[in-house]
């Protein structure tokens, strides 16, 4: 690799260009595919391509920068080994680079690092040392050890050699598609964005390079506001691959000079992008890996972009499997395909059916309700948590809100309320404040248009529903949990169930019902 000047000397653009062109990363990394996303392209009216860095041996672009720096170490430095701090993709990149180059690697990881990431690093030959409760404590310890043991510290982003290694992504992009109009790049510490931007602006300056940050980890935006790198007071951890408290000094200098624009996205928008990637190319991106697509989509909307060739970088796919539950739940909200409302409806038979009919054929995606004694309650009516599927985004959401208010219902839009989406939706209900002669049933029915309305029309006007939970998960079958206050004979009740024709199972003796919900 071409020798770069020390970091303090701030290598010029030509030095970076030579370093990127000469980077020997393909001894371990691969030239990843640039795929079209036909479904999203048609939907958004632009030609959209995804750079598949998730297909690297370590499932992220980080191997490029790690290998570029480590391959440039002297023989003496290689013999002493290297050390770094990371809780994720950089750790695996350093470990694999060390294995390929025959260099001992020590990776300091926070004590709370999931086992799956620890085992991944070990599988690539890295020695794991657990220290500290967070990345900053792990990093401080790694730097201390590197000084004591005379080992080279391999930073995750703020070093010219690392930046040059990441810049090879930009080189591949213009080799694979010479007619790009814009490239969207995720930003954590800024190494990838800096490398791609300086390469593109040297070779094809007409291509716009747009940086994308998570709103709760926007360290570059904070640096722009402060005219220099600053520490964020707190950093959100959902997109952990870009959860960086402070932008690098060198990456800040390069991003400030060479980036064309910067856009911020929230967690719901990232979740929607994860789903888009899966729908189009069947890849499961980690949240930070889908960050640049979330920015691309938002940028198109804000600037009314049409008929352009747009590329984004799927930067990694080291997804914690359990995160998928959250992603799935929030993707529809991020795409403005679902709205959440708190609504007060009359505490009487048939009120839910009347509410659904009021929606004019729109699909209800979720309904949470538990009976309350209105004589003792401060609220005059039943408070329900309801989700509604949208086809026209924010405009339709506002229409529904106005429509419900015009019918005299008390309604609050919770679609942008983080506490409601994160916690309250799962806590709606509880125990009624009087004893009820109720029985609990679970139902399964074909998830077709009108199936829920049929349920309500058959049972909701004849029986007092005292508990109700429904959530559409986009599967073939819908599932409802409902309790009924039975003042009728059981044979008459079962006659209604037979008339309904849906599969059902009685859950009255379920211990969870006793523990949390029974009156």
């Amino acid at each position: 690799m071409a020798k770069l000047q020390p970091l303090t000397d701030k290598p010029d653009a030509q030095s970076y260009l030579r370093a990127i062109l000469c980077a020997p990363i393909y001894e371990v990394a691969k030239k990843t595919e640039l795929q079209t996303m036909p479904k999203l392209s048609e939907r958004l009216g632009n030609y959209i391509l995804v750079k598949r860095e998730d297909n690297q041996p370590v499932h992220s672009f980080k191997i490029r920068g790690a290998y570029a720096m480590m391959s440039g170490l002297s023989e003496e430095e290689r013999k002493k080994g290297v050390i770094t701090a990371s809780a994720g993709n950089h750790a695996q990149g350093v470990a694999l680079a060390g294995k390929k180059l025959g260099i001992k690697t020590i990776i300091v990881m926070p004590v709370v690092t999931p086992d799956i990431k620890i085992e991944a690093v070990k599988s690539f030959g890295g020695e794991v040392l657990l220290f500290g409760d967070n990345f900053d404590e792990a990093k401080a310890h790694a730097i201390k050890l590197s000084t004591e043991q005379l080992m080279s510290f391999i930073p995750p982003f703020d070093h010219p050699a690392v930046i040059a290694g990441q810049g090879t992504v930009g080189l591949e992009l213009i080799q694979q598609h010479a007619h790009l109009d814009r490239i969207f790049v995720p930003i954590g510490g800024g190494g990838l964005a800096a490398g791609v931007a300086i390469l593109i602006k040297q070779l094809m300056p007409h291509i716009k390079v747009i940086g994308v940050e998570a709103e709760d980890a926007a360290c570059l935006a904070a640096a722009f506001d402060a005219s220099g790198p600053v520490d964020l007071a707190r950093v959100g951890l959902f997109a952990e691959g870009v959860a960086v408290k402070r932008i690098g000094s060198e990456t800040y200098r390069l991003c400030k000079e060479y980036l064309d624009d910067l856009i911020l996205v929230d967690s719901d928008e990232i979740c929607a992008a994860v789903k888009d990637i899966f729908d189009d190319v069947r890849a499961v991106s980690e949240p930070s890996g889908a960050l640049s697509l979330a920015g691309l989509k938002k940028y198109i909307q804000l600037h009314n972009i049409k008929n352009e060739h747009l590329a984004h970088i799927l930067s990694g796919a080291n997804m914690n499997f359990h995160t998928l539950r959250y992603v799935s739940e929030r993707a529809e909200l991020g795409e403005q395909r679902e709205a959440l409302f708190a609504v007060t409806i009359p505490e009487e038979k048939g009120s839910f059916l009347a509410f659904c009919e009021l929606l004019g054929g729109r699909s209800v995606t979720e309904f949470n309700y538990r009976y309350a004694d209105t004589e003792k309650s401060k609220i005059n009516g039943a408070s329900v948590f309801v989700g509604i599927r949208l086809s026209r985004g924010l405009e339709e959401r506002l229409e529904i809100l106005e429509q419900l208010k015009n019918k005299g219902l008390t309604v609050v839009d919770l679609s942008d309320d983080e506490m409601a989406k994160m916690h309250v939706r799962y806590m709606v209900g509880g125990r009624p404040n009087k004893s009820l002669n109720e029985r609990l049933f679970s139902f399964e029915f074909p998830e077709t248009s009108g199936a829920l309305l049929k349920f309500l029309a058959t049972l909701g006007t004849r029986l007092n529903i005292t508990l109700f939970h429904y959530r559409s998960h986009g599967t073939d079958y819908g599932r409802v949990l409902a309790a009924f206050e039975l003042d009728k004979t059981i044979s008459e009740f079962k006659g209604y169930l037979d008339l309904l024709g849906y599969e059902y199972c009685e859950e009255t003796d379920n211990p969870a019902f006793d523990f949390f919900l029974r009156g």
Side-chain angles (χ1 to χ4, degrees):
M1 174 174 159
K3 188 68 174 177
L4 290 178
Q5 303 170 39
L7 177 59
T8 53
D9 289 343
K10 299 179 180 177
D12 60 22
Q14 288 299 310
S15 297
Y16 269 114
L17 179 59
R18 286 194 299 270
I20 294 170
L21 294 174
C22 297
I25 63 162
Y26 300 109
E27 295 172 4
V28 63
K30 62 178 286 189
K31 185 175 183 177
T32 55
E33 305 89 336
L34 182 64
Q35 289 183 267
T36 58
M37 297 183 70
K39 294 179 182 177
L40 195 61
S41 296
E42 182 178 358
R43 194 172 97 210
L44 299 182
N46 290 275
Y47 187 62
I48 297 172
L49 303 105
V50 53
K51 180 67 170 161
R52 295 291 304 276
E53 285 299 288
D54 59 306
N55 284 335
Q56 290 292 358
V58 296
H59 305 295
S60 90
F61 73 96
K62 287 287 189 176
I63 183 61
R64 295 175 183 264
Y67 194 84
M69 181 173 180
M70 291 170 64
S71 64
L73 296 176
S74 67
E75 283 301 317
E76 184 179 355
E77 289 171 326
R78 293 189 184 199
K79 290 177 182 178
K80 293 177 180 178
V82 303
I83 190 168
T84 193
S86 172
N89 296 337
H90 178 62
Q92 296 177 55
V94 170
L96 180 57
K99 183 177 182 179
K100 175 68 176 179
L101 295 166
I103 300 173
K104 176 184 176 181
T105 58
I106 297 177
I107 290 86
V108 183
M109 310 181 83
V111 174
V112 295
T113 302
D115 289 342
I116 187 172
K117 294 187 176 182
I118 295 172
E119 294 306 315
V121 171
K122 289 181 177 178
S123 71
F124 289 122
E127 178 184 334
V128 174
L129 176 60
L130 298 178
F131 185 91
D133 295 326
N134 52 55
F135 171 73
D136 290 321
E137 292 181 8
K139 179 182 177 183
H141 189 63
I143 293 174
K144 178 174 177 288
L145 288 178
S146 69
T147 302
E148 293 174 351
Q149 301 183 23
L150 302 179
M151 301 175 75
S152 298
F153 179 74
I154 308 298
F157 48 82
D158 200 23
H159 189 282
V162 174
I163 294 168
Q166 319 300 29
T168 57
V169 174
L171 182 61
E172 290 177 17
L173 278 168
I174 58 176
Q175 290 172 337
Q176 292 168 316
H177 194 88
H179 302 291
L180 291 173
D181 294 294
R182 302 174 203 265
I183 298 171
F184 291 80
V185 189
I187 296 177
L192 179 61
V196 169
I198 198 167
L199 181 283
I200 294 297
K201 293 307 174 182
Q202 293 304 299
L203 298 181
M204 303 187 76
H206 63 280
I207 298 177
K208 304 296 184 185
V209 183
I210 316 297
V212 185
E213 285 193 295
E215 285 183 351
D216 57 4
C219 59
L220 180 57
F224 283 161
D225 290 341
S227 299
V230 292
D231 289 345
L232 296 177
R234 63 173 299 277
V235 175
L237 297 178
F238 170 60
E240 61 177 340
V242 292
V244 176
K245 188 175 184 179
R246 183 187 181 97
I247 196 77
S249 298
E250 179 67 352
T251 55
Y252 166 73
R253 180 180 76 87
L254 297 176
C255 286
K256 182 181 179 182
E257 183 173 355
Y258 294 104
L259 273 186
D260 290 288
D261 209 346
L262 180 67
I263 189 167
L264 276 56
V265 295
D266 63 28
S267 294
D268 288 353
E269 290 164 333
I270 294 172
C271 290
V274 172
K275 182 178 183 298
D276 287 325
I277 290 171
F278 179 80
D279 287 346
D280 242 320
V281 298
R282 292 299 185 267
V284 180
S285 168
E286 63 185 273
S288 60
L291 182 65
S292 57
L293 176 57
L296 179 153
K297 291 168 59 184
K298 189 171 184 177
Y299 205 84
I300 287 175
Q301 183 180 29
L302 290 175
H303 299 278
N304 194 30
I305 295 172
K306 294 292 183 183
N307 301 316
E308 288 194 359
H309 290 223
L310 310 173
H312 66 95
I313 300 168
L314 199 177
S315 57
N318 288 304
M319 167 78 89
N320 183 332
F321 181 79
H322 299 291
T323 304
L324 287 172
R325 182 189 308 175
Y326 177 91
V327 170
S328 176
E329 193 71 56
R330 301 293 283 265
E332 296 298 288
L333 289 165
E335 198 59 64
Q336 293 284 345
R337 292 174 181 167
E338 182 182 31
L340 300 179
F341 298 103
V343 186
T344 301
I345 61 177
E347 185 72 87
E348 59 189 26
K349 296 177 183 178
S351 60
F352 183 32
L353 175 59
F355 173 77
C356 289
E357 290 174 340
L358 179 62
L359 296 176
R362 295 185 180 93
S363 296
V364 174
T365 59
E366 181 170 4
F367 189 86
N368 280 313
Y369 159 71
R370 185 59 165 130
Y371 171 87
D373 188 346
T374 54
E375 292 182 4
K376 297 181 180 180
S377 173
K378 295 180 181 179
I379 299 176
N380 184 23
S383 296
V384 300
F385 184 98
V386 61
I388 300 171
R389 192 172 305 285
L390 305 175
S391 59
R392 292 183 286 109
L394 180 60
E395 178 188 0
E396 186 179 7
R397 183 174 123 196
L398 296 176
E399 285 178 7
I400 295 171
L401 186 65
E402 192 65 25
Q403 183 180 2
L404 296 177
K405 288 180 177 179
N406 289 340
K407 290 296 182 178
L409 298 176
T410 301
V411 56
V412 178
D413 187 352
L414 300 177
S415 305
D416 297 321
D417 188 318
E418 186 63 24
M419 188 183 79
K421 292 185 290 186
M422 180 68 75
H423 299 291
V424 174
R425 75 188 305 172
Y426 305 109
M427 300 170 70
V428 172
R431 299 177 188 274
N433 47 21
K434 74 174 186 180
S435 180
L436 298 171
N437 180 28
E438 63 181 348
R439 296 177 71 164
L440 183 71
F441 292 83
S442 60
F443 296 86
E444 186 176 275
F445 54 86
E447 190 72 280
T448 56
S449 178
L452 184 58
L453 282 175
K454 178 184 177 183
F455 179 98
L456 295 168
T458 304
L459 299 179
T461 57
R462 296 179 171 90
L463 300 162
N464 183 28
I465 299 176
T466 56
L467 177 153
F468 196 92
H469 178 261
Y470 165 74
R471 174 65 179 166
S472 172
H473 289 285
T475 54
D476 293 336
Y477 287 91
R479 291 172 174 83
V480 163
L481 183 69
F484 305 89
E485 188 172 28
L486 294 183
D487 54 1
K488 302 178 184 297
T489 64
I490 189 65
S491 60
E492 186 178 1
F493 174 68
K494 288 190 174 179
Y496 294 145
L497 296 183
D498 293 339
L499 180 64
L500 180 65
Y502 293 163
E503 294 290 329
Y504 68 90
C505 178
E506 184 164 6
E507 305 282 2
T508 305
D509 295 327
N510 188 300
F513 181 50
D514 278 336
F515 201 86
F516 292 108
L517 299 168
R518 192 189 296 274

